[in-house]
Amino acid sequence: MKVCVVEDDPGIGSFLEAALSEAGYSVRWITDGAVALRELSTGRFDLIVLDVLLPNIDGFEICRRLRKSRNQTPILIITAKDTLEDKIEGLDCGADDYLVKPFQMLELLARSRALLRRREVETGILIVGDLSLELDSRVAHREDRKVSLSGTEFALLEYLMRNAGRVLSRQQILDHVWQYDFDGNDSVIDVYISYIRSKVDRGFAKPMITTVRGLGYRLESQVTDK
């Protein structure tokens, strides 16, 4: 997931960049309102974390202009402006949520996840890095490559993507994807992991699906280089 942080305070901005990166997001940090508006207008971000008091163009105006141009990227406003009138203005200009400084990072991460889940429901698409999965058509894309999936491949890839960055044990995968007993023979997992790797990772320098020896499998949450 690509997150744009628009914050001119160097201490807060660097903290947000580090914390969101640690949580598995690809982060672009911008300190100027006019620069932010130009980059945000491209629509290439999944979430915007937006301060209000910014140089050149304030956060409320950025929000209004994005919504006027039909940009529907979720926006989480973060600001020290804590009056009821400020909150109403922020939400009325098109923001999806409003968080008053100072805040706990765990709360910001929780609100970010909630906004991204809401977007997933609205679009019907799971996105991890440069990999997307259309839940209705059951078709995946890695960058511009279309990936067709069988029913079991889809179920396995969906489970990996919903748990991106986490190591999933073989038993967890069996329980959630196959849901029946293989009498101790779980080699079917290796077979289907191999199938998905051949479709998703082939041609890329760094794989998204990795084996964690003795523990299980993980789908990496960061964008990989081709």
Side-chain angles (χ1 to χ4, degrees):
M1 290 287 185
K2 300 179 181 67
V3 177
C4 184
V5 173
V6 188
E7 169 62 69
D8 65 326
D9 183 290
I12 296 174
S14 60
F15 175 66
L16 288 170
E17 181 182 39
L20 287 164
S21 297
E22 179 66 23
Y25 299 104
S26 175
V27 182
R28 171 77 170 101
W29 173 26
I30 303 174
T31 59
D32 180 272
V35 174
L37 183 60
R38 286 198 300 271
E39 291 207 25
L40 293 172
S41 297
T42 64
R44 63 188 180 91
F45 294 99
D46 300 294
L47 175 67
I48 301 165
V49 178
L50 180 64
D51 187 22
V52 173
L53 299 178
L54 297 166
N56 296 313
I57 302 176
D58 70 45
F60 287 158
E61 183 60 23
I62 290 173
C63 195
R64 289 189 192 94
R65 295 192 191 183
L66 289 175
R67 296 306 188 230
K68 187 176 181 179
S69 67
R70 301 184 182 277
N71 185 318
Q72 296 303 312
T73 304
I75 297 174
L76 170 59
I77 284 182
I78 53 169
T79 179
K81 295 168 71 68
D82 60 354
T83 68
L84 177 60
E85 291 76 16
D86 291 326
K87 295 178 182 178
I88 291 173
E89 181 178 2
L91 296 172
D92 281 349
C93 74
D96 298 276
D97 202 354
Y98 195 105
L99 187 59
V100 176
K101 300 175 183 177
F103 52 80
Q104 294 292 320
M105 193 63 211
L106 287 176
E107 182 179 6
L108 183 138
L109 290 173
R111 291 181 182 232
S112 298
R113 290 192 297 270
L115 290 175
L116 290 167
R117 283 196 300 271
R118 186 189 308 170
R119 189 181 198 199
E120 174 196 319
V121 170
E122 291 171 351
T123 62
I125 300 174
L126 281 176
I127 301 174
V128 178
D130 57 2
L131 177 65
S132 64
L133 181 64
E134 298 173 9
L135 301 178
D136 291 334
S137 66
R138 300 196 168 198
V139 172
H141 288 84
R142 178 91 188 264
E143 290 191 351
D144 58 353
R145 179 197 298 170
K146 180 178 179 180
V147 178
S148 297
L149 301 165
S150 70
T152 302
E153 289 168 350
F154 169 82
L156 177 54
L157 183 58
E158 180 187 11
Y159 184 53
L160 291 171
M161 292 180 70
R162 289 190 185 277
N163 292 276
R166 294 177 54 198
V167 178
L168 299 174
S169 70
R170 301 173 73 85
Q171 190 60 53
Q172 285 176 307
I173 294 172
L174 280 177
D175 290 344
H176 285 82
V177 177
W178 280 272
Q179 299 179 346
Y180 49 85
D181 191 3
F182 281 89
D183 296 324
N185 183 5
D186 56 7
S187 60
V188 66
I189 298 175
D190 303 314
V191 172
Y192 276 90
I193 288 288
S194 176
Y195 289 161
I196 293 177
R197 279 175 167 159
S198 69
K199 295 181 176 184
V200 170
D201 285 337
R202 186 174 56 204
F204 290 83
K206 297 180 181 179
M208 292 194 74
I209 302 169
T210 59
T211 302
V212 182
R213 189 175 297 277
L215 295 176
Y217 295 98
R218 175 175 57 212
L219 188 131
E220 303 296 341
S221 58
Q222 296 286 352
V223 178
T224 58
D225 297 326
K226 190 171 180 180

